[in-house]
Amino acid sequence: MSEREVARRVFAREFNDSNLQHGEAADRSPNFVVTPSGIICNRVFVVGVLTDVENIGAGGQTMYRARIADPTGVFTVYAGEYQPSAAVLLSTVRTPA
């Protein structure tokens, strides 16, 4: 079993200005984001104010889209059946948070 990548702290603008560098073609191989400053990350640590949460699920599925704002911009995050703890949090939190 391989270790998980370390989460990198990036600001919204830097993340949104990043380019995707595809990983290996193997099944379940990670994809990496390369930021303009050269940080290569597979996981990111997001900090900001949760400004909006919307249930965008269709047909009985639960899927949430949320906006997290930091001083440089906005992250858009999604949570659904594969992120159950995040989906529960987003379904109950009151914005702004």
Side-chain angles (χ1 to χ4, degrees):
M1 180 182 222
S2 62
E3 289 188 35
R4 293 182 79 167
E5 294 284 330
V6 173
R8 307 288 185 191
R9 169 72 193 267
V10 295
F11 289 104
R13 180 169 184 145
E14 186 173 18
F15 181 77
N16 292 330
D17 289 346
S18 298
N19 295 313
L20 178 64
Q21 174 186 324
H22 294 284
E24 299 174 15
D27 187 34
R28 295 184 175 241
S29 64
N31 290 321
F32 294 90
V33 172
V34 181
T35 68
S37 62
I39 298 171
I40 299 172
C41 42
N42 171 258
R43 300 172 67 217
V44 295
F45 179 66
V46 176
V47 176
V49 177
L50 182 65
T51 60
D52 184 45
V53 177
E54 181 182 5
N55 186 348
I56 60 170
Q61 290 184 325
T62 301
M63 175 64 78
Y64 292 95
R65 177 175 49 214
R67 294 170 51 93
I68 301 172
D70 76 9
T72 66
V74 176
F75 290 98
T76 302
V77 297
Y78 295 88
E81 67 177 303
Y82 297 112
Q83 303 83 21
S85 60
V88 168
L89 174 74
L90 292 177
S91 71
T92 60
V93 71
R94 295 177 65 179
T95 59

Coordinates of all heavy atoms in Angstrom, one line a residue:
M1 N 0.8 -1.2 0.0 CA 0.0 0.0 0.0 C 0.9 1.2 0.0 O 1.8 1.4 0.8 CB -0.9 0.0 1.2 CG -1.8 1.1 1.3 SD -2.7 1.0 2.9 CE -4.3 1.5 2.3
S2 N 0.6 2.2 -0.9 CA 1.4 3.4 -1.0 C 0.9 4.5 0.0 O -0.3 4.5 0.4 CB 1.4 3.9 -2.4 OG 0.1 4.3 -2.8
E3 N 1.8 5.4 0.4 CA 1.4 6.4 1.3 C 0.7 7.5 0.5 O 0.9 7.7 -0.7 CB 2.6 7.0 1.9 CG 3.3 6.1 2.9 CD 4.4 6.8 3.7 OE1 4.3 8.0 3.9 OE2 5.4 6.1 4.0
R4 N -0.2 8.2 1.2 CA -0.9 9.3 0.5 C 0.0 10.5 0.4 O 0.9 10.7 1.2 CB -2.1 9.8 1.4 CG -3.2 8.7 1.4 CD -4.3 9.1 2.2 NE -5.1 10.0 1.3 CZ -6.4 10.4 1.6 NH1 -6.9 10.0 2.7 NH2 -7.0 11.2 0.8
E5 N -0.2 11.3 -0.7 CA 0.5 12.5 -0.9 C 0.2 13.5 0.2 O -0.9 13.5 0.8 CB 0.2 13.2 -2.2 CG 0.5 12.3 -3.4 CD 2.0 12.4 -3.7 OE1 2.6 13.4 -3.4 OE2 2.5 11.4 -4.3
V6 N 1.2 14.3 0.6 CA 1.0 15.4 1.5 C 0.1 16.5 0.9 O 0.3 16.8 -0.3 CB 2.4 16.0 2.0 CG1 2.2 17.2 2.9 CG2 3.2 14.9 2.6
A7 N -0.9 17.0 1.6 CA -1.7 18.1 1.1 C -0.9 19.4 1.1 O -0.2 19.7 2.1 CB -2.9 18.2 2.0
R8 N -0.9 20.1 0.1 CA -0.2 21.4 -0.1 C -1.1 22.5 0.1 O -2.2 22.5 -0.4 CB 0.5 21.5 -1.5 CG 1.3 20.3 -1.9 CD 2.6 20.2 -1.1 NE 3.4 19.1 -1.6 CZ 4.5 18.7 -1.0 NH1 4.9 19.2 0.1 NH2 5.1 17.7 -1.5
R9 N -0.7 23.5 0.8 CA -1.5 24.7 1.0 C -1.3 25.6 -0.2 O -0.1 26.0 -0.5 CB -1.0 25.5 2.3 CG -1.6 26.9 2.5 CD -3.1 26.8 2.8 NE -3.7 28.1 2.7 CZ -3.9 28.9 3.6 NH1 -3.5 28.7 4.8 NH2 -4.5 30.1 3.4
V10 N -2.3 26.0 -0.9 CA -2.3 26.9 -2.0 C -3.4 27.9 -1.9 O -4.5 27.5 -1.3 CB -2.3 26.2 -3.4 CG1 -1.1 25.3 -3.6 CG2 -3.6 25.4 -3.5
F11 N -3.2 29.0 -2.4 CA -4.3 30.0 -2.5 C -5.2 29.8 -3.7 O -4.8 29.1 -4.7 CB -3.7 31.4 -2.5 CG -3.1 31.9 -1.2 CD1 -1.7 31.9 -1.1 CD2 -3.9 32.2 -0.1 CE1 -1.1 32.3 0.1 CE2 -3.3 32.6 1.1 CZ -1.9 32.6 1.2
A12 N -6.4 30.3 -3.6 CA -7.4 30.0 -4.7 C -6.9 30.5 -6.0 O -7.0 29.8 -7.0 CB -8.7 30.7 -4.4
R13 N -6.3 31.7 -6.1 CA -5.8 32.2 -7.4 C -4.7 31.3 -8.0 O -4.7 31.0 -9.2 CB -5.3 33.6 -7.3 CG -4.8 34.2 -8.6 CD -4.6 35.6 -8.6 NE -4.2 36.0 -9.9 CZ -4.5 37.1 -10.5 NH1 -5.2 38.0 -9.8 NH2 -4.1 37.4 -11.7
E14 N -3.8 30.9 -7.1 CA -2.7 30.0 -7.6 C -3.2 28.7 -8.1 O -2.8 28.2 -9.1 CB -1.7 29.8 -6.5 CG -0.5 29.1 -6.9 CD 0.6 29.0 -5.9 OE1 0.3 29.2 -4.7 OE2 1.8 28.7 -6.3
F15 N -4.2 28.1 -7.4 CA -4.8 26.9 -7.8 C -5.6 27.1 -9.1 O -5.4 26.2 -10.0 CB -5.7 26.4 -6.7 CG -6.4 25.0 -7.0 CD1 -5.7 23.9 -6.9 CD2 -7.7 25.0 -7.5 CE1 -6.2 22.6 -7.3 CE2 -8.3 23.8 -7.8 CZ -7.5 22.6 -7.7
N16 N -6.3 28.1 -9.2 CA -7.1 28.3 -10.4 C -6.3 28.7 -11.6 O -6.7 28.5 -12.8 CB -8.2 29.4 -10.2 CG -9.2 29.0 -9.2 OD1 -9.6 27.8 -9.1 ND2 -9.8 29.9 -8.4
D17 N -5.1 29.2 -11.4 CA -4.2 29.5 -12.5 C -3.3 28.3 -12.9 O -2.4 28.4 -13.7 CB -3.3 30.7 -12.2 CG -4.0 32.0 -12.2 OD1 -5.2 32.0 -12.7 OD2 -3.5 33.0 -11.6
S18 N -3.4 27.2 -12.2 CA -2.6 26.0 -12.4 C -2.9 25.2 -13.6 O -4.0 25.3 -14.2 CB -2.7 25.1 -11.2 OG -2.3 25.7 -10.0
N19 N -2.0 24.4 -14.1 CA -2.1 23.5 -15.2 C -2.2 22.1 -14.7 O -1.4 21.7 -13.8 CB -1.0 23.6 -16.2 CG -0.9 25.0 -16.8 OD1 -1.9 25.5 -17.3 ND2 0.3 25.6 -16.8
L20 N -3.0 21.2 -15.3 CA -3.0 19.8 -14.9 C -2.0 19.1 -15.6 O -1.8 19.1 -16.9 CB -4.4 19.3 -15.2 CG -4.6 17.8 -14.9 CD1 -4.5 17.5 -13.4 CD2 -6.0 17.3 -15.4
Q21 N -1.2 18.3 -14.9 CA -0.2 17.4 -15.5 C -0.7 16.0 -15.2 O -0.8 15.6 -14.0 CB 1.2 17.6 -14.8 CG 2.2 16.6 -15.2 CD 3.5 16.8 -14.4 OE1 3.9 17.9 -14.1 NE2 4.1 15.7 -14.1
H22 N -1.0 15.3 -16.2 CA -1.6 13.9 -16.0 C -0.5 13.0 -15.5 O 0.7 13.1 -15.8 CB -2.1 13.4 -17.3 CG -3.3 14.1 -17.8 ND1 -4.5 14.0 -17.3 CD2 -3.4 15.0 -18.8 CE1 -5.4 14.8 -17.9 NE2 -4.7 15.4 -18.8
G23 N -0.9 12.1 -14.6 CA 0.0 11.1 -14.1 C 0.1 9.9 -15.1 O -0.1 10.1 -16.3
E24 N 0.6 8.8 -14.6 CA 0.8 7.6 -15.4 C -0.6 7.1 -16.0 O -1.6 7.4 -15.4 CB 1.4 6.5 -14.6 CG 2.8 6.9 -14.1 CD 3.4 5.9 -13.2 OE1 2.9 4.7 -13.2 OE2 4.4 6.2 -12.5
A25 N -0.5 6.3 -17.0 CA -1.8 5.8 -17.6 C -2.3 4.6 -16.8 O -3.4 4.2 -17.2 CB -1.5 5.4 -19.0
A26 N -1.6 4.2 -15.8 CA -2.1 3.1 -15.0 C -3.4 3.4 -14.3 O -3.7 4.5 -13.9 CB -1.0 2.6 -14.0
D27 N -4.2 2.3 -14.0 CA -5.5 2.5 -13.3 C -5.2 3.1 -11.9 O -4.3 2.6 -11.2 CB -6.2 1.2 -13.2 CG -7.6 1.3 -12.6 OD1 -8.2 2.3 -12.9 OD2 -8.0 0.4 -11.9
R28 N -6.0 4.0 -11.5 CA -5.9 4.6 -10.2 C -4.6 5.4 -9.9 O -4.2 5.6 -8.8 CB -6.1 3.6 -9.0 CG -7.5 3.0 -9.0 CD -7.6 2.1 -7.8 NE -9.0 1.6 -7.8 CZ -9.8 1.9 -6.8 NH1 -9.4 2.5 -5.7 NH2 -11.0 1.4 -6.8
S29 N -3.9 5.8 -11.0 CA -2.7 6.6 -10.8 C -3.1 8.0 -10.5 O -4.1 8.5 -11.1 CB -1.8 6.5 -12.0 OG -2.4 7.0 -13.1
P30 N -2.4 8.7 -9.7 CA -2.8 10.1 -9.3 C -2.6 11.1 -10.4 O -1.7 10.9 -11.3 CB -2.0 10.4 -8.1 CG -0.8 9.5 -8.2 CD -1.3 8.3 -8.9
N31 N -3.4 12.1 -10.4 CA -3.1 13.3 -11.3 C -2.5 14.4 -10.4 O -2.8 14.5 -9.2 CB -4.4 13.8 -11.9 CG -4.9 12.8 -13.0 OD1 -4.2 12.2 -13.7 ND2 -6.2 12.6 -13.0
F32 N -1.7 15.2 -11.0 CA -1.1 16.2 -10.3 C -1.4 17.6 -10.9 O -1.5 17.7 -12.1 CB 0.5 16.0 -10.3 CG 0.9 14.8 -9.5 CD1 1.0 13.6 -10.2 CD2 1.1 14.9 -8.2 CE1 1.3 12.5 -9.5 CE2 1.5 13.7 -7.5 CZ 1.6 12.5 -8.1
V33 N -1.5 18.6 -10.0 CA -1.7 20.0 -10.5 C -0.3 20.7 -10.3 O 0.3 20.5 -9.2 CB -2.8 20.7 -9.6 CG1 -2.8 22.2 -9.9 CG2 -4.1 20.1 -9.9
V34 N 0.1 21.4 -11.3 CA 1.3 22.1 -11.2 C 1.0 23.6 -11.1 O 0.4 24.2 -12.0 CB 2.3 21.9 -12.4 CG1 3.6 22.7 -12.3 CG2 2.5 20.4 -12.5
T35 N 1.3 24.2 -10.0 CA 1.0 25.6 -9.8 C 2.0 26.5 -10.5 O 3.1 26.1 -10.9 CB 1.0 26.0 -8.3 OG1 2.3 25.9 -7.8 CG2 0.1 25.1 -7.5
P36 N 1.6 27.8 -10.7 CA 2.5 28.7 -11.4 C 3.9 28.9 -10.7 O 4.9 29.2 -11.3 CB 1.8 30.0 -11.4 CG 0.3 29.7 -11.4 CD 0.3 28.4 -10.5
S37 N 3.9 28.7 -9.4 CA 5.1 28.8 -8.6 C 5.9 27.5 -8.6 O 7.0 27.4 -8.0 CB 4.9 29.2 -7.2 OG 4.1 28.3 -6.5
G38 N 5.4 26.4 -9.3 CA 6.1 25.2 -9.4 C 5.8 24.1 -8.4 O 6.4 23.1 -8.4
I39 N 4.9 24.3 -7.5 CA 4.5 23.3 -6.6 C 3.7 22.3 -7.3 O 2.7 22.5 -8.0 CB 3.7 23.9 -5.4 CG1 4.5 25.0 -4.7 CG2 3.2 22.9 -4.5 CD1 3.7 25.8 -3.7
I40 N 4.1 21.0 -7.1 CA 3.4 19.9 -7.7 C 2.5 19.2 -6.6 O 3.1 18.8 -5.6 CB 4.3 18.9 -8.3 CG1 5.2 19.5 -9.4 CG2 3.6 17.7 -8.8 CD1 6.3 18.7 -9.9
C41 N 1.2 19.2 -6.8 CA 0.4 18.7 -5.7 C -0.7 17.8 -6.2 O -1.3 18.0 -7.3 CB -0.2 19.8 -4.9 SG -0.8 21.3 -5.7
N42 N -1.0 16.8 -5.4 CA -2.1 15.8 -5.7 C -3.2 16.1 -4.8 O -4.4 15.8 -5.1 CB -1.5 14.4 -5.5 CG -2.6 13.4 -5.6 OD1 -3.0 12.9 -4.5 ND2 -3.1 13.0 -6.7
R43 N -2.9 16.6 -3.6 CA -4.0 17.0 -2.6 C -3.7 18.4 -2.2 O -2.5 18.8 -2.1 CB -3.9 16.1 -1.4 CG -4.1 14.6 -1.8 CD -3.8 13.7 -0.6 NE -4.8 13.9 0.4 CZ -4.5 13.8 1.7 NH1 -3.3 13.6 2.1 NH2 -5.5 14.0 2.6
V44 N -4.8 19.2 -2.0 CA -4.6 20.6 -1.5 C -5.3 20.8 -0.2 O -6.3 20.2 0.1 CB -5.1 21.6 -2.6 CG1 -4.2 21.5 -3.8 CG2 -6.5 21.4 -2.9
F45 N -4.8 21.7 0.6 CA -5.3 22.1 1.8 C -6.0 23.5 1.6 O -5.3 24.5 1.3 CB -4.2 22.2 2.9 CG -4.7 22.6 4.2 CD1 -5.5 21.8 5.0 CD2 -4.3 23.8 4.8 CE1 -6.0 22.2 6.3 CE2 -4.7 24.2 6.0 CZ -5.5 23.4 6.8
V46 N -7.3 23.5 1.7 CA -8.1 24.7 1.4 C -8.5 25.4 2.7 O -9.0 24.8 3.6 CB -9.3 24.4 0.6 CG1 -10.2 25.6 0.4 CG2 -8.9 23.7 -0.7
V47 N -8.3 26.7 2.8 CA -8.7 27.5 4.0 C -9.4 28.8 3.4 O -8.9 29.4 2.5 CB -7.5 27.9 4.8 CG1 -7.9 28.8 6.0 CG2 -6.8 26.7 5.4
G48 N -10.6 29.1 4.0 CA -11.3 30.2 3.6 C -12.7 30.3 4.3 O -12.9 29.5 5.2
V49 N -13.5 31.1 3.7 CA -14.9 31.2 4.2 C -15.8 30.5 3.3 O -15.8 30.7 2.1 CB -15.3 32.7 4.3 CG1 -16.7 32.9 4.7 CG2 -14.4 33.5 5.2
L50 N -16.6 29.6 3.8 CA -17.6 28.9 3.1 C -18.8 29.9 2.8 O -19.5 30.3 3.7 CB -18.1 27.7 3.8 CG -19.2 26.8 3.2 CD1 -18.6 26.2 1.9 CD2 -19.7 25.8 4.1
T51 N -18.9 30.3 1.5 CA -19.9 31.4 1.2 C -21.2 30.8 0.6 O -22.2 31.5 0.7 CB -19.3 32.4 0.2 OG1 -18.9 31.7 -1.0 CG2 -18.1 33.1 0.9
D52 N -21.2 29.6 0.0 CA -22.4 29.2 -0.6 C -22.3 27.6 -0.7 O -21.3 27.1 -1.0 CB -22.4 29.7 -2.1 CG -23.7 29.4 -2.8 OD1 -24.8 29.4 -2.2 OD2 -23.6 29.0 -4.0
V53 N -23.5 27.0 -0.5 CA -23.6 25.5 -0.6 C -24.9 25.3 -1.4 O -25.9 25.9 -1.1 CB -23.7 24.8 0.8 CG1 -23.9 23.3 0.6 CG2 -22.4 25.1 1.6
E54 N -24.8 24.4 -2.4 CA -26.0 24.1 -3.2 C -26.0 22.6 -3.4 O -25.0 22.0 -3.8 CB -25.8 24.8 -4.6 CG -27.0 24.6 -5.5 CD -26.7 25.3 -6.8 OE1 -25.7 25.9 -7.0 OE2 -27.7 25.2 -7.7
N55 N -27.2 22.0 -3.2 CA -27.4 20.6 -3.5 C -27.7 20.5 -5.0 O -28.7 20.9 -5.5 CB -28.5 20.0 -2.7 CG -28.7 18.5 -2.9 OD1 -28.1 17.9 -3.8 ND2 -29.5 17.9 -2.1
I56 N -26.8 19.9 -5.8 CA -26.9 19.8 -7.2 C -27.2 18.4 -7.7 O -27.2 18.0 -8.8 CB -25.7 20.3 -8.0 CG1 -24.4 19.6 -7.6 CG2 -25.5 21.8 -7.7 CD1 -23.2 19.9 -8.4
G57 N -27.5 17.5 -6.7 CA -27.8 16.1 -7.0 C -29.1 16.0 -7.8 O -30.0 16.8 -7.6
A58 N -29.2 15.0 -8.6 CA -30.4 14.7 -9.4 C -30.8 13.3 -9.2 O -30.0 12.4 -9.0 CB -30.1 15.0 -10.9
G59 N -32.1 13.0 -9.3 CA -32.6 11.6 -9.3 C -32.3 11.0 -7.9 O -32.0 9.8 -7.9
G60 N -32.4 11.7 -6.9 CA -32.2 11.1 -5.5 C -30.8 11.1 -5.1 O -30.5 10.6 -4.0
Q61 N -29.9 11.4 -5.9 CA -28.4 11.4 -5.5 C -28.1 12.7 -4.7 O -28.7 13.7 -5.0 CB -27.5 11.3 -6.8 CG -27.6 10.0 -7.5 CD -26.6 10.0 -8.6 OE1 -26.3 11.0 -9.3 NE2 -26.0 8.9 -8.9
T62 N -27.2 12.5 -3.8 CA -26.7 13.7 -3.0 C -25.4 14.1 -3.6 O -24.5 13.4 -3.7 CB -26.5 13.3 -1.6 OG1 -27.8 12.8 -1.1 CG2 -26.1 14.5 -0.8
M63 N -25.4 15.4 -4.0 CA -24.1 16.0 -4.5 C -24.2 17.5 -4.2 O -25.1 18.1 -4.6 CB -24.0 15.8 -6.0 CG -22.8 16.5 -6.6 SD -21.2 15.9 -6.1 CE -21.0 14.4 -7.0
Y64 N -23.2 17.9 -3.5 CA -23.1 19.3 -3.1 C -22.0 20.0 -3.8 O -20.9 19.5 -4.0 CB -22.9 19.4 -1.6 CG -24.1 19.0 -0.8 CD1 -24.2 17.7 -0.3 CD2 -25.2 19.8 -0.6 CE1 -25.3 17.2 0.4 CE2 -26.3 19.3 0.1 CZ -26.3 18.1 0.6 OH -27.4 17.6 1.3
R65 N -22.3 21.3 -4.2 CA -21.3 22.2 -4.7 C -21.1 23.3 -3.7 O -22.2 23.9 -3.3 CB -21.7 22.7 -6.1 CG -20.7 23.7 -6.6 CD -21.0 24.2 -8.0 NE -22.4 24.6 -8.2 CZ -23.1 24.4 -9.3 NH1 -22.6 23.8 -10.3 NH2 -24.3 24.8 -9.3
A66 N -19.9 23.7 -3.3 CA -19.7 24.7 -2.4 C -18.6 25.7 -2.9 O -17.7 25.3 -3.6 CB -19.3 24.1 -1.0
R67 N -18.7 26.9 -2.4 CA -17.7 27.9 -2.8 C -17.0 28.3 -1.5 O -17.6 28.6 -0.5 CB -18.4 29.1 -3.4 CG -19.0 28.8 -4.8 CD -19.8 29.9 -5.3 NE -19.2 31.2 -5.3 CZ -18.5 31.8 -6.3 NH1 -18.4 31.1 -7.4 NH2 -17.9 33.0 -6.2
I68 N -15.7 28.3 -1.5 CA -14.8 28.7 -0.4 C -14.0 29.8 -0.8 O -13.2 29.6 -1.8 CB -14.0 27.5 0.1 CG1 -14.9 26.3 0.5 CG2 -13.1 27.9 1.3 CD1 -14.2 25.0 0.9
A69 N -14.1 31.0 -0.2 CA -13.4 32.2 -0.7 C -12.2 32.4 0.3 O -12.3 32.3 1.5 CB -14.3 33.4 -0.6
D70 N -11.1 32.7 -0.3 CA -9.9 33.2 0.4 C -9.6 34.6 -0.1 O -10.3 35.1 -1.1 CB -8.8 32.3 0.4 CG -8.0 32.2 -0.9 OD1 -8.2 33.1 -1.8 OD2 -7.1 31.3 -1.0
P71 N -8.6 35.3 0.4 CA -8.4 36.7 -0.1 C -8.0 36.8 -1.5 O -8.0 37.9 -2.1 CB -7.2 37.2 0.8 CG -7.3 36.3 2.1 CD -7.8 35.0 1.6
T72 N -7.6 35.7 -2.2 CA -7.2 35.8 -3.6 C -8.2 35.3 -4.6 O -8.0 35.5 -5.8 CB -5.9 35.0 -3.8 OG1 -6.2 33.6 -3.6 CG2 -4.8 35.4 -2.8
G73 N -9.2 34.7 -4.2 CA -10.2 34.1 -5.1 C -11.1 33.1 -4.4 O -11.3 33.1 -3.2
V74 N -11.7 32.2 -5.3 CA -12.7 31.3 -4.8 C -12.3 29.9 -5.3 O -12.0 29.7 -6.4 CB -14.1 31.7 -5.3 CG1 -15.1 30.6 -4.9 CG2 -14.5 33.0 -4.8
F75 N -12.4 28.9 -4.3 CA -12.4 27.5 -4.7 C -13.8 27.0 -4.9 O -14.7 27.4 -4.1 CB -11.8 26.7 -3.5 CG -10.3 26.9 -3.3 CD1 -9.9 27.8 -2.3 CD2 -9.4 26.2 -4.0 CE1 -8.6 27.9 -2.0 CE2 -8.0 26.4 -3.7 CZ -7.6 27.2 -2.7
T76 N -14.0 26.1 -5.8 CA -15.3 25.4 -6.0 C -15.0 24.0 -5.6 O -14.1 23.3 -6.2 CB -15.8 25.5 -7.4 OG1 -16.0 26.9 -7.7 CG2 -17.2 24.8 -7.5
V77 N -15.7 23.4 -4.6 CA -15.5 22.1 -4.2 C -16.8 21.3 -4.3 O -17.9 21.8 -4.3 CB -15.0 22.0 -2.7 CG1 -13.6 22.6 -2.6 CG2 -16.0 22.6 -1.8
Y78 N -16.7 20.0 -4.5 CA -17.8 19.1 -4.6 C -17.7 18.0 -3.6 O -16.6 17.5 -3.3 CB -17.9 18.5 -6.0 CG -18.1 19.5 -7.1 CD1 -17.0 20.2 -7.7 CD2 -19.4 19.8 -7.5 CE1 -17.2 21.1 -8.7 CE2 -19.6 20.7 -8.5 CZ -18.5 21.4 -9.1 OH -18.7 22.3 -10.1
A79 N -18.9 17.5 -3.1 CA -18.9 16.4 -2.2 C -20.2 15.6 -2.4 O -21.2 16.2 -2.6 CB -18.8 16.8 -0.7
G80 N -20.0 14.3 -2.5 CA -21.2 13.4 -2.7 C -21.0 12.1 -2.1 O -20.4 12.0 -1.0
E81 N -21.4 11.0 -2.7 CA -21.4 9.7 -2.1 C -20.0 9.2 -1.8 O -19.9 8.3 -0.9 CB -22.2 8.7 -3.0 CG -21.5 8.4 -4.3 CD -22.2 7.4 -5.2 OE1 -22.4 6.2 -4.7 OE2 -22.6 7.7 -6.3
Y82 N -19.0 9.6 -2.5 CA -17.7 9.1 -2.2 C -16.9 10.0 -1.2 O -15.8 9.7 -0.8 CB -16.8 9.1 -3.5 CG -17.4 8.2 -4.5 CD1 -18.0 8.6 -5.7 CD2 -17.4 6.8 -4.3 CE1 -18.5 7.7 -6.6 CE2 -18.0 5.9 -5.2 CZ -18.5 6.4 -6.4 OH -19.1 5.5 -7.3
Q83 N -17.6 11.1 -0.7 CA -17.0 11.9 0.4 C -18.1 12.1 1.4 O -18.6 13.2 1.6 CB -16.6 13.3 -0.1 CG -15.5 13.2 -1.2 CD -16.1 13.0 -2.6 OE1 -17.3 13.3 -2.8 NE2 -15.3 12.6 -3.5
P84 N -18.6 11.0 2.0 CA -19.8 11.1 2.9 C -19.7 12.1 4.1 O -20.6 12.8 4.4 CB -20.0 9.6 3.4 CG -18.7 9.0 3.2 CD -18.0 9.6 2.0
S85 N -18.5 12.1 4.7 CA -18.4 13.1 5.8 C -18.4 14.5 5.4 O -19.0 15.4 6.0 CB -17.1 12.8 6.6 OG -16.0 12.9 5.8
A86 N -17.8 14.8 4.2 CA -17.9 16.2 3.7 C -19.3 16.5 3.2 O -19.8 17.6 3.4 CB -16.9 16.3 2.5
A87 N -20.0 15.6 2.6 CA -21.4 15.8 2.2 C -22.3 16.1 3.4 O -23.2 17.0 3.3 CB -21.9 14.6 1.4
V88 N -22.1 15.3 4.5 CA -22.9 15.6 5.7 C -22.6 16.9 6.2 O -23.6 17.7 6.6 CB -22.7 14.5 6.8 CG1 -23.2 14.9 8.1 CG2 -23.2 13.1 6.3
L89 N -21.4 17.3 6.3 CA -21.0 18.7 6.8 C -21.7 19.7 5.9 O -22.3 20.7 6.4 CB -19.5 18.9 6.8 CG -19.1 20.3 7.2 CD1 -19.3 20.5 8.6 CD2 -17.7 20.5 6.7
L90 N -21.6 19.6 4.6 CA -22.1 20.6 3.7 C -23.7 20.7 3.8 O -24.3 21.7 3.6 CB -21.7 20.4 2.3 CG -20.2 20.6 2.0 CD1 -19.8 20.3 0.6 CD2 -19.8 22.1 2.3
S91 N -24.3 19.5 4.1 CA -25.7 19.5 4.2 C -26.3 20.2 5.4 O -27.4 20.6 5.5 CB -26.3 18.1 4.1 OG -26.0 17.4 5.3
T92 N -25.4 20.4 6.4 CA -25.9 20.9 7.7 C -25.3 22.3 8.1 O -25.8 23.0 8.9 CB -25.5 19.9 8.9 OG1 -24.1 19.7 8.9 CG2 -26.2 18.6 8.7
V93 N -24.2 22.7 7.4 CA -23.6 23.9 7.8 C -24.4 25.1 7.3 O -25.0 25.1 6.3 CB -22.1 24.0 7.3 CG1 -22.1 24.2 5.7 CG2 -21.3 25.1 7.9
R94 N -24.3 26.2 8.1 CA -25.0 27.5 7.8 C -23.9 28.4 7.3 O -22.9 28.7 8.0 CB -25.7 28.0 9.0 CG -26.9 27.1 9.4 CD -27.6 27.6 10.6 NE -28.3 28.8 10.3 CZ -29.0 29.5 11.1 NH1 -29.2 29.1 12.4 NH2 -29.6 30.7 10.8
T95 N -24.2 29.0 6.1 CA -23.2 30.0 5.6 C -23.5 31.4 6.0 O -24.7 31.7 6.3 CB -23.2 29.9 4.0 OG1 -24.5 30.2 3.6 CG2 -22.8 28.5 3.5
P96 N -22.5 32.2 6.1 CA -21.1 32.0 5.9 C -20.5 31.3 7.1 O -21.0 31.5 8.3 CB -20.5 33.4 5.8 CG -21.4 34.3 6.6 CD -22.8 33.7 6.5
A97 N -19.6 30.5 6.9 CA -18.9 29.7 7.9 C -17.4 29.6 7.6 O -17.0 29.6 6.5 CB -19.5 28.3 8.0

